[in-house]
């Protein structure tokens, strides 16, 4: 700048620190200022900058790293390149595993399919035989509403692998059925899922009977009690408000349908069973098809396990309606 005697001016000067340890005589002279100006002449004079900052480490500028978009784990394909084919159960079948369950995760299902001769895709195509799903997620509902493919429960894969045969599809395995498959089922299978042509087994016959909506006959003692109440008290009695209801109280560890769970010690819900029994209700240690209510306490950590058991029962047509989930205050 020609306005000043030194020929220079400071651009955007700022006070960063007041040096009380120095006096006016310690200020920089004009000659020292000129020497510094020559040293730093030009913005790209690296030699002068290096001499001035000798012994100081230059801080590296941290570059902001952008996180790369990844495919969600439950949409990723399982690496099946090293899987050896053990049988040809699923030869010629292209299957799409939409989701799995706690007992049969998606990765294990895809490995089982490839190990027994099938091929796996991540999105159904026109060649896809069926989708495999353990629960009715939004993705499963979208494919079902499009009515483009059948959707089968993983239990079909599990039973095919365990028996080493391709089991004929039946309504009990179906999550969603297309119109063509529904027509085949109407011609070959009755309303209870029993085939007109295939020989049945005791196990299959029991499954058919279990799927029927046949109420259990009450015991003679209970029947007499209900008869007295209906006849003499017009069916109204305070201690019978839960009559006809069957409860599962969340003080048992349950992971499978129809299996009695082990009791959780010191559960505060023990009193609930006594109240339910006193007021005419019945309770079970297992979640079966006759359960009408599920009572939970303040601990909701097992709600996910209970929901998975109910979802499995609904998809296998063991129950048609979900039981009501209530808390102890409702009781």
């Amino acid at each position: 700048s020609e306005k000043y005697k030194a020929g220079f001016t400071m651009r955007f000067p700022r006070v960063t620190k007041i040096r009380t340890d120095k006096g006016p005589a310690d200020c920089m002279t004009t000659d020292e200022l000129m020497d510094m100006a020559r040293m730093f002449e030009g913005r790209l004079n690296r030699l002068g900058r290096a001499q001035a900052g000798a012994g100081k480490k230059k801080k590296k500028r941290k570059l902001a790293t952008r996180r790369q978009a990844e495919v969600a784990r439950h949409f990723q394909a399982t690496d099946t390149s090293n899987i050896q084919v053990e049988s040809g159960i699923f030869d010629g079948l292209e299957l799409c595993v939409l989701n799995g369950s706690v007992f049969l995760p998606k990765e294990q299902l895809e490995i089982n399919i490839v190990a027994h001769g099938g091929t796996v895709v991540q999105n159904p195509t026109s060649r896809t035989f069926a989708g495999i799903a353990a629960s009715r997620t939004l993705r499963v509902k979208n494919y079902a509403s499009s009515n483009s493919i059948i959707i089968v429960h993983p239990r079909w894969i599990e039973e095919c692998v365990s028996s080493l045969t391709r089991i004929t599809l039946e309504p009990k395995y179906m999550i969603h059925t297309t119109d063509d498959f529904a027509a085949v089922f109407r011609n070959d299978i009755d309303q209870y899922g029993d085939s007109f042509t295939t020989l049945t087994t005791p196990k299959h016959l029991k499954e058919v009977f279990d799927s029927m909506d046949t109420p259990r006959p009450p015991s003679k003692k209970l029947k007499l009690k209900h008869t007295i109440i209906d006849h003499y008290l017009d069916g109204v009695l305070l201690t019978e408000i839960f009559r006809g209801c069957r409860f599962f109280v969340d003080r048992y560890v349950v992971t499978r349908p129809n299996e009695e769970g082990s009791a959780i010690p010191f559960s505060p819900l023990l009193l609930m069973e006594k109240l339910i029994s006193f007021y005419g209700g019945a309770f079970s240690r297992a979640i079966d098809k006759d359960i009408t209510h599920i009572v939970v306490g303040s601990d909701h950590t097992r709600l996910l396990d209970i929901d998975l058991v109910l979802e499995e029962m609904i998809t296998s047509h063991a129950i048609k309606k979900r039981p009501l989930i209530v808390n102890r205050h409702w009781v």
Side-chain angles (χ1 to χ4, degrees):
S1 174
E2 297 177 355
K3 294 182 180 181
Y4 303 97
K5 183 179 179 180
F8 296 96
T9 182
M10 298 182 67
R11 188 183 183 190
F12 307 128
R14 293 177 178 83
V15 176
T16 59
K17 186 179 181 181
I18 298 176
R19 297 294 299 270
T20 57
D21 58 324
K22 292 182 179 288
D26 298 323
C27 290
M28 182 180 292
T29 62
T30 305
D31 295 335
E32 292 173 342
L33 181 63
M34 296 299 292
D35 291 339
M36 183 176 289
R38 284 192 294 271
M39 181 183 296
F40 287 95
E41 185 179 3
R43 289 184 178 180
L44 302 180
N45 189 341
R46 296 181 181 178
L47 177 62
R49 294 176 185 270
Q51 290 176 353
K56 295 183 180 179
K57 278 191 174 181
K58 186 178 180 181
K59 293 183 179 179
K60 291 185 178 180
R61 183 183 176 187
K62 292 184 179 179
L63 299 176
T65 56
R66 182 179 294 178
R67 187 177 179 182
Q68 294 183 351
E70 297 179 352
V71 179
R73 187 171 177 268
H74 56 280
F75 289 126
Q76 293 179 5
T78 305
D79 183 13
T80 58
S81 56
N82 297 324
I83 302 299
Q84 295 182 353
V85 178
E86 300 174 10
S87 70
I89 300 172
F90 304 121
D91 271 348
L93 291 188
E94 180 182 278
L95 300 170
C96 176
V97 181
L98 302 174
N99 61 60
S101 65
V102 176
F103 310 105
L104 281 174
K106 179 177 182 289
E107 296 83 356
Q108 187 59 49
L109 287 168
E110 291 180 340
I111 290 173
N112 288 346
I113 292 169
V114 173
H116 294 278
T119 56
V120 175
V121 294
Q122 298 307 306
N123 294 291
T125 66
S126 57
R127 299 184 301 275
T128 303
F129 173 71
I132 310 296
S135 56
R136 297 174 184 268
T137 60
L138 180 61
R139 187 185 183 200
V140 174
K141 291 178 181 177
N142 288 338
Y143 282 121
S145 61
S146 68
N147 204 32
S148 55
I149 60 169
I150 61 172
I151 302 175
V152 184
H153 195 272
R155 190 158 61 107
W156 179 67
I157 300 290
E158 183 183 19
E159 293 184 7
C160 288
V161 171
S162 61
S163 63
L164 289 179
T165 56
R166 188 188 298 182
I167 299 173
T168 305
L169 282 175
E170 300 176 13
K172 66 179 182 179
Y173 298 118
M174 307 306 295
I175 301 291
H176 170 73
T177 308
T178 60
D179 296 337
D180 295 338
F181 262 86
V184 172
F185 288 153
R186 284 194 296 268
N187 292 330
D188 297 345
I189 299 171
D190 66 14
Q191 58 179 325
Y192 300 109
D194 188 25
S195 174
F196 296 134
T197 56
T198 305
L199 293 177
T200 189
T201 61
K203 179 183 176 182
H204 180 260
L205 197 60
K206 184 178 184 304
E207 291 177 353
V208 172
F209 289 152
D210 289 340
S211 66
M212 295 180 179
D213 295 329
T214 306
R216 293 182 179 179
S219 64
K220 292 181 180 180
K221 184 178 178 181
L222 186 61
K223 190 174 182 180
L224 177 61
K225 178 183 176 183
H226 290 170
T227 303
I228 293 172
I229 293 171
D230 291 336
H231 184 74
Y232 293 103
L233 300 172
D234 296 328
V236 179
L237 187 63
L238 179 61
T239 56
E240 290 293 310
I241 57 175
F242 290 143
R243 176 179 165 185
C245 299
R246 186 175 173 84
F247 290 78
F248 171 80
V249 179
D250 182 30
R251 73 178 199 93
Y252 303 98
V253 179
V254 173
T255 57
R256 283 279 193 175
N258 303 312
E259 288 185 2
E260 291 193 357
S262 56
I264 299 172
F266 311 112
S267 173
L269 293 176
L270 176 61
L271 180 60
M272 292 299 102
E273 291 186 352
K274 305 300 181 184
L275 282 173
I276 290 166
S277 180
F278 179 77
Y279 285 102
F283 57 88
S284 172
R285 294 181 58 163
I287 300 179
D288 54 37
K289 65 184 184 66
D290 296 320
I291 293 293
T292 59
H293 297 77
I294 295 176
V295 183
V296 298
S298 57
D299 182 10
H300 296 166
T301 57
R302 288 180 299 280
L303 273 178
L304 179 60
D305 295 332
I306 292 174
D307 191 61
L308 289 172
V309 172
L310 293 176
E311 192 68 33
E312 184 177 344
M313 296 178 74
I314 290 173
T315 54
S316 63
H317 305 288
I319 56 174
K320 293 183 178 179
K321 185 179 179 181
R322 292 175 69 97
L324 295 174
I325 298 179
V326 298
N327 59 24
R328 61 185 184 86
H329 302 292
W330 180 88
V331 176

